[in-house]
Amino acid sequence: MYPPKAESKVASNVINLDLPPAERWTSLAKEKAPQIKDMLVEVKAFVGAFGNGSIIALVDKYLAPLADTLPYPFADELKGIAKATDIPLGEVVLFNVFYEFFTVCTSIVAEDPTGKLFHARNLDFGLFLGWDIKNNTWALTEKLRPIVVNLDWQRGGKTVFKSVNFAGYVGLLTAVKPQTFTYSMNERFSADGGYIGLIEWILGSRDISWMGFLTRDTLENATSFTEAETWLANRTLLAPAYFILGGTKSGEGAIITRSREEALDIKRLDPANGRWFLLQTNYDNWENPPFIDDRRTPGDNCMANMSKSNTDLPHIFDVLSSKPVLNKLTTYTALMQVDEGHLESFLQECPDPCIPW
């Protein structure tokens, strides 16, 4: 499968961290404004389906004022995006809130026989957000692909980190800090989920971290794999999550399983005992995944068949392009290598026959 068609490769843009926060996204936001507005039609249709009196309706009422409660620099960045796109601020906040709750993904960290580390992921998004019976696609997933962008976050003209983002989303789901660590986030389903944390934030709790904002802080400021692991394992979160990290040395790979309050488990690479890769979907590693969404077992089998001796980004791309790891929700596949600060991503589509998730 690698390399995929040239037209599927995602273009890169620069985010200049030396600019005032309200101006950092102006150029990209203006360029992608029509596609962002088109995508928001699907998001608002989902929100509206809950009706008056629901939690979503309550959240929607407070979305624009919510921006002023966010930590620096995120409030100003969202306001700048709203101004550049001529989209109401509440809708821009809604766009950023959604990624705390609806990201369904597969992430892989693996090392080759020399100890070189590779990190890759599928970003699956749009579950339950409008199934198009005619085309066998998820409506929101189709609208998201046109706004996938690679970002080179720079300060003083030099790269601080790189990420794959949906244009207009200011948090981080996939990123690499060159010569330091790689990162991806998968959603963790929990009864004590993000909605509860969001309500607590609206009601005034400020001792919890938004996942996307915590990871921005981590990529900007953490100076090692160990420091990044400590930050992501110990901060109180608005929503539960899986944080997947890769480092620069043999054995530096971890899946951090998070409740909102603490790390429940940290599973690490252990190449000396045969654990040369980690693969995480959306279920705790000590539990069996449900039969209706078992991407873990075929993913593990593909990695084992690939073997450690063949570990590289093209082969891992093939694993992530294999059904059902690849499914109708998959928007992109990202490939990262920490030593060179390498990041490339490709839009993905799953041809029929293909499962919805």
Side-chain angles (χ1 to χ4, degrees), residues 17-202:
L17 294 170
D18 293 320
L19 290 174
E23 300 176 16
R24 292 172 180 172
W25 295 84
T26 299
S27 177
L28 179 60
K30 286 183 176 179
E31 175 190 343
K32 293 291 187 179
Q35 293 89 345
I36 296 173
K37 291 176 180 178
D38 194 30
M39 175 274 304
L40 281 169
V41 170
E42 299 297 335
V43 175
K44 289 186 290 184
F46 174 79
V47 172
F50 282 81
N52 294 328
S54 70
I55 292 176
I56 295 294
L58 176 65
V59 169
D60 195 31
K61 178 181 177 181
Y62 288 97
L63 286 179
L66 183 63
D68 287 324
T69 72
L70 301 178
Y72 179 88
F74 306 115
D76 286 346
E77 289 189 9
L78 295 183
K79 291 177 181 178
I81 292 168
K83 181 179 179 181
T85 57
D86 195 29
I87 295 173
L89 178 58
E91 295 183 18
V92 174
V93 176
L94 174 63
F95 180 28
N96 280 263
V97 166
F98 253 58
Y99 295 99
E100 300 283 329
F101 315 121
F102 287 97
T103 308
V104 185
C105 313
T106 301
S107 294
I108 298 171
V109 177
E111 67 174 72
D112 71 7
T114 71
K116 187 175 184 178
L117 288 160
F118 302 89
H119 191 158
R121 68 95 47 81
N122 280 355
L123 194 291
D124 302 344
F125 196 93
L127 184 64
F128 306 131
L129 303 183
W131 178 255
D132 185 334
I133 299 176
K134 181 179 179 180
N135 296 309
N136 290 332
T137 58
W138 292 100
L140 183 58
T141 306
E142 298 298 302
K143 301 292 186 181
L144 284 169
R145 291 193 186 98
I147 61 172
V148 176
V149 290
N150 288 348
L151 299 179
D152 187 341
W153 303 72
Q154 297 184 0
R155 182 173 286 116
K158 297 182 179 180
T159 297
V160 180
F161 60 91
K162 300 176 184 178
S163 67
V164 188
N165 279 55
F166 296 112
Y169 176 69
V170 303
L172 296 180
L173 303 173
T174 309
V176 54
K177 188 163 188 173
Q179 301 177 21
T180 312
F181 62 89
T182 53
Y183 149 81
S184 61
M185 173 270 179
N186 293 11
E187 182 183 1
R188 181 172 181 259
F189 304 114
S190 172
D192 182 21
Y195 293 114
I196 295 173
L198 184 57
I199 292 171
E200 289 179 358
W201 185 279
I202 290 172

Side-chain angles (χ1 to χ4, degrees), residues 306-325:
M306 181 187 78
S307 78
K308 185 176 182 178
S309 62
N310 289 316
T311 297
D312 58 20
L313 291 179
H315 281 95
I316 296 174
F317 181 86
D318 288 348
V319 172
L320 291 171
S321 299
S322 302
K323 303 172 186 177
V325 179

